[in-house]
Amino acid sequence: MLDLPRSARLAAWGTGVLTGAAGLDAAVAAVVRDDEPHAVRWADGAPAAPGADPADVRGLLAALRAAGCGPLLLALPVPGDPRDLPGPAAVNVAALEAGECVVAEPPGAVGRWALVPEVTEFGSVWEPGAMVTWAVLGAAPRRAPSSSSVADSERELRLALATATQALANLDVARWREDAADRIAAVRDGGLARDALPPGTAPRAARVLQTAARVLAIVELASEDDGAAVTGFEATSRARALREVAQVARRAVVAAVNAHAEPVRP
């Protein structure tokens, strides 16, 4: 199965809860999955939540709904591609370290929240586990989002998918790694997990998210090895190409998840 980052699921399903398109129970299950129950930590300086500070995802989504928040916005910043960081500097550092965050904005002058996952993984490759705490931080005033449109992202992804697939084929990891053939088949043939997206997701956004998730999975696979008999120049060139297609895929995920901010036509 292909999947999306936790912040993408929280933004998509959280928006569903806030707009009435998704139920709270289904949203919590889709965000938490097989993790330990997610905790929520309200940091000093974050705008006050309505009522008591919620300590879990259910309470967090309920608080955002009670505050009258509109659609949640996703950011997937990484060093070298820090677009859509919510600010201020301390929040940006946390978001960059996580590689993901969600921004919630209540109406009026209350201020914005940046929701940043702090993940501690445990267990083994056979029985993995994760403890997740969503740090709720005070974000800077809203800036115009810089993500591409869903239509633009779909066009860019076609080339990115071809580039990533060719890089994986050139690497030919299946020849010398026992686990690679099954993983490659899973990436090639897999679709998004059934609960990755909430009801009512636009068909084009769903297509873009599935393709972007496939590109990111291919990049992860292809980045694990330098391959057989490649020169340093070839390895460097492939690494650069993979970084570029991963950048396209991350931007596509952001555009598709945030597509609720503008009309999307299938």
Side-chain angles (χ1 to χ4, degrees):
M1 283 289 183
L2 303 173
D3 210 351
L4 300 173
R6 291 179 179 87
S7 289
R9 300 201 306 267
L10 178 61
W13 279 92
T15 293
V17 170
L18 297 176
T19 59
L24 193 53
D25 289 343
V28 172
V31 173
V32 175
R33 292 275 183 80
D34 295 329
D35 297 339
E36 296 296 311
H38 290 194
V40 174
R41 174 174 59 82
W42 290 75
D44 294 339
D53 289 346
D56 56 20
V57 173
R58 176 183 297 277
L60 174 62
L61 292 175
L64 297 181
R65 185 168 57 186
C69 288
L72 304 181
L73 294 175
L74 171 68
L76 297 176
V78 295
D81 186 23
R83 62 176 54 201
D84 295 331
L85 284 169
V91 178
N92 290 347
V93 169
L96 276 170
E97 288 180 351
E100 56 182 294
C101 74
V102 177
V103 177
E105 184 172 16
V110 177
R112 298 199 305 163
W113 292 303
L115 318 175
V116 182
E118 299 170 347
V119 182
T120 301
E121 296 181 346
F122 61 88
S124 66
V125 293
W126 297 280
E127 294 185 6
M131 293 186 295
V132 180
T133 297
W134 291 92
V136 184
L137 312 170
R142 184 172 188 176
R143 296 183 292 272
S146 59
S147 57
S148 305
S149 71
V150 178
D152 289 342
S153 296
E154 190 170 34
R155 287 190 291 269
E156 293 169 355
L157 275 173
R158 294 192 188 104
L159 178 58
L161 180 60
T163 301
T165 302
Q166 187 59 51
L168 187 62
N170 292 343
L171 190 59
D172 198 14
V173 291
R175 255 190 335 179
W176 68 89
R177 278 181 38 203
E178 294 181 359
D179 68 320
D182 289 342
R183 291 179 63 191
I184 290 171
V187 168
R188 184 189 63 229
D189 302 330
L192 278 175
R194 183 175 299 177
D195 62 350
L197 299 172
T201 300
R204 171 174 272 172
R207 288 198 306 270
V208 165
L209 286 167
Q210 177 161 298
T211 303
R214 177 167 288 115
V215 170
L216 290 172
I218 291 173
V219 168
E220 182 179 356
L221 250 178
S223 299
E224 291 178 1
D225 290 284
D226 280 337
V230 295
T231 66
F233 175 77
E234 288 171 332
T236 300
S237 298
R238 185 175 57 246
R240 184 185 304 114
L242 290 174
R243 283 196 302 272
E244 291 172 354
V245 296
Q247 185 178 83
V248 170
R250 283 194 307 273
R251 291 177 181 176
V253 172
V254 171
V257 171
N258 293 349
H260 45 64
E262 56 181 321
V264 176
R265 293 177 185 158

